[in-house]
Amino acid sequence: MPQIPMSQIYVDADACPVKAEVIRVAERHGLQVYIVSNGGIRPSGHPLVKEVTVPGAFDAADDWIVEQVAAGDIVITSDIPLASRSLEKGAAVLGHTGKLFSKQNIGMALAMRDVMADLRAMGTVSGYNASFTGADRSRFLNELERLVQQAKRR
């Protein structure tokens, strides 16, 4: 029987508040983690973590993740276009607050992103995102653990 490769975790690291949590979960399950950024990542030194710095255009880190990710992998991002592209490749996608992106909800998320960008451009809305809370961190950890357990059952 052929061996099924274990999932890998890709982290869109720019402004990611849950890198340490991802590493803890990955360590518990022996998963490879790629922390991908356009620059300025502090090396973790952990043997399961590979820091990837992608120079170039604004979306270069996103492009690198999409090129590498495969069905069954897990992508951690709050970037909705990256979430959409990762879902197309068959990856599970989890936002920093524990929100799971899916084929069923990504269309609405993209539409809301566009509406909010238009409202910000018109000056109707000034803020971007709510503050990251302890409840968000807890929800994220629970959902990431669930995704990893689900991947292990495949």
Side-chain angles (χ1 to χ4, degrees), residues 23-43:
I23 293 169
R24 272 201 330 258
V25 171
E27 184 175 42
R28 187 167 46 248
H29 296 282
L31 300 177
Q32 181 71 58
V33 176
Y34 294 91
I35 297 183
V36 186
S37 173
N38 286 2
I41 317 173
R42 178 182 297 155

Side-chain angles (χ1 to χ4, degrees), residues 7 18 35 52 54 59 61 64 78 86 94 105 110 119 122-123 150:
S7 296
V18 291
I35 297 183
V52 179
V54 184
D59 287 335
W64 189 91
S78 62
S86 299
L94 184 60
N105 70 14
L110 285 165
L119 291 173
M122 293 186 309
Q150 181 180 330

Side-chain angles (χ1 to χ4, degrees), residues 17 28 30 41 68 70 88 94 96-98 101 104-105 110-113 115 137 139:
R28 187 167 46 248
I41 317 173
Q68 306 303 313
E88 288 173 11
L94 184 60
H96 304 147
T97 62
F101 291 100
Q104 292 75 27
N105 70 14
L110 285 165
M112 286 301 297
R113 175 186 175 270
V115 166
R137 190 176 310 279
R139 191 171 36 255

Side-chain angles (χ1 to χ4, degrees), residues 27-110:
E27 184 175 42
R28 187 167 46 248
H29 296 282
L31 300 177
Q32 181 71 58
V33 176
Y34 294 91
I35 297 183
V36 186
S37 173
N38 286 2
I41 317 173
R42 178 182 297 155
S44 78
H46 195 287
L48 290 174
V49 177
K50 292 186 180 175
E51 288 88 7
V52 179
T53 301
V54 184
F58 178 70
D59 287 335
D62 298 355
D63 293 341
W64 189 91
I65 291 170
V66 171
E67 289 169 9
Q68 306 303 313
V69 75
D73 288 340
I74 299 169
V75 175
I76 309 300
T77 187
S78 62
D79 182 291
I80 297 170
L82 173 57
S84 178
R85 293 169 64 197
S86 299
L87 286 168
E88 288 173 11
K89 299 274 305 254
V93 183
L94 184 60
H96 304 147
T97 62
K99 176 182 179 179
L100 185 64
F101 291 100
S102 68
K103 291 180 180 180
Q104 292 75 27
N105 70 14
I106 196 66
M108 180 61 79
L110 285 165

